[in-house]
Amino acid sequence: MKIGVHPNNLHLRLARLWPGAFVDLQPIFVSYAEGRETAVLLERGEIDLGGTGSTPPIEADMRGLAVEYIAASAPRPANGAIFVRSDSPIGSVAELKDRRISLIDGSFHTYLLARSLEGEGMSLPDVERVESGARDSLADLLERRVDAWVAMSPRLEKALERDDVRLIVRCGAAIPNRSLFWTLERNGLSATEIRAIVSELSRIGNEIAADPRTAARLLASGDRGGSGDRGGTDIDAWEKVVRSRDFTVFPIDDEIIAEQQEEADTLVRHGHFAKPIVLKRQQGIGR
């Protein structure tokens, strides 16, 4: 089984390094740069399984790719936030109107921003979204090229320790922010394979939670396959990240599909998607 690994999905990133992970599925771990590439790699058959935030699989369904959800993490309320400079006049989300905001657009950053704005009676067109890609978004913020920055782990934890930036909203106040593990129906994973994937993700998650120091050491050492942290995070910092996250994984269920539907509907309201979509109940539920 070809399992995609990108830097921002810590569960699969650690699975690649964890002894014995997915051994019964004869894994081939395939590195790539970021979660937004997952759908294309699945479509090409270059990977059989990917893990991302909530938004990329909805983007894939909007393209007609027929996503099959396999599993979901527990909510990650600590893994996303919006920052401004400490000396910024912006005191809250309500003051982001007409401001430039750095984010990875089409990731969960977009949904976090949309829901945060919606809580203040605004929508995505009320701000200017600035694609950050692999750039140092913190530098863009501090050097005043943008007015706010949507951050995620591990850079988020580093930002919280600084005195030149200020937090204005945390992810848990706006969205569930789960990891979703998914494929495309065309890839034809069997019920047996899907059960094995869920079981292995759960086992690895439990072992990570039981030994966060080992997980931190693996992350800090870097992934020789190319999935290492570009921020140079040390073991102690990684341990804080690991301890702050619930690595529990659940089989997909109707609650998760309902969350995804709510996100899809929200992003349609904000104009991010041009037309509505109805996400279908997954065949894998209840297997």
Side-chain angles (χ1 to χ4, degrees):
M1 178 169 290
K2 299 185 291 293
I3 301 172
V5 181
H6 63 88
N8 293 324
N9 190 284
L10 294 190
H11 207 115
L12 291 178
R13 185 169 162 184
L14 278 164
R16 177 173 189 160
L17 302 168
W18 210 257
F22 291 98
V23 64
D24 291 340
L25 292 171
Q26 300 179 25
I28 299 171
F29 292 99
V30 179
S31 295
Y32 57 106
E34 60 165 286
R36 291 178 298 180
E37 299 175 17
T38 303
V40 171
L41 296 175
L42 287 167
E43 186 178 15
R44 292 174 179 167
E46 294 179 26
I47 61 174
D48 302 307
L49 170 70
T52 67
S54 57
T55 310
I58 300 174
E59 297 265 6
D61 259 330
M62 286 288 182
R63 289 176 49 208
L65 292 180
V67 167
E68 183 168 15
Y69 291 95
I70 293 173
S73 76
R76 302 173 303 171
N79 187 43
I82 302 176
F83 289 90
V84 296
R85 293 182 301 276
S86 293
D87 62 358
S88 171
I90 300 169
S92 68
V93 172
E95 297 170 339
L96 288 177
K97 184 175 173 61
D98 298 325
R99 302 289 190 165
R100 290 170 54 84
I101 302 172
S102 174
L103 76 166
I104 299 175
D105 212 6
S107 73
F108 83 88
H109 293 193
T110 305
Y111 187 38
L112 171 59
L113 179 59
R115 286 297 297 269
S116 299
L117 291 170
E118 195 166 77
E120 301 294 340
M122 295 186 289
S123 63
L124 288 174
D126 289 319
V127 301
E128 182 180 349
R129 287 179 277 174
V130 178
E131 172 61 41
S132 64
R135 291 199 316 275
D136 185 349
S137 301
L138 176 58
D140 286 346
L141 179 64
L142 294 176
E143 294 169 14
R144 303 177 185 274
R145 289 187 289 273
V146 296
D147 301 297
W149 166 42
V150 183
M152 61 185 169
S153 295
R155 290 176 176 174
L156 185 155
E157 285 77 13
K158 292 180 178 180
L160 289 171
E161 296 174 354
R162 302 178 66 98
D163 58 11
D164 50 2
V165 295
R166 174 165 39 86
L167 177 74
I168 61 169
V169 68
R170 199 71 183 257
C171 198
I175 64 173
N177 192 29
R178 301 178 189 270
S179 280
L180 279 300
F181 303 93
W182 52 287
T183 186
L184 302 181
E185 289 181 1
R186 68 179 65 186
N187 290 335
L189 295 189
S190 69
T192 299
E193 288 173 317
I194 288 173
R195 284 194 295 268
I197 291 167
V198 175
S199 176
E200 192 66 349
L201 288 170
S202 179
R203 181 189 70 81
I204 294 165
N206 290 338
E207 291 185 5
I208 291 168
D211 192 358
R213 189 67 178 178
T214 291
R217 187 175 298 110
L218 290 170
L219 290 166
S221 70
D223 184 343
R224 294 183 180 86
S227 294
D229 169 43
R230 291 165 293 191
T233 307
D234 63 26
I235 294 175
D236 290 340
W238 270 125
E239 187 170 0
K240 289 180 182 178
V241 172
V242 173
R243 288 186 181 277
S244 73
R245 182 171 301 195
D246 187 341
F247 281 89
T248 306
V249 170
F250 309 94
I252 210 68
D253 60 20
D254 286 329
E255 178 184 352
I256 305 301
I257 299 302
E259 287 181 1
Q260 291 295 98
Q261 185 68 62
E262 181 179 359
E263 176 173 349
D265 294 345
T266 298
L267 293 177
V268 168
R269 285 198 304 275
H270 285 253
H272 182 74
F273 295 133
K275 60 182 181 179
I277 187 172
V278 176
L279 303 181
K280 67 179 183 179
R281 189 178 187 274
Q282 300 293 289
Q283 294 179 359
I285 293 175
R287 283 180 178 163

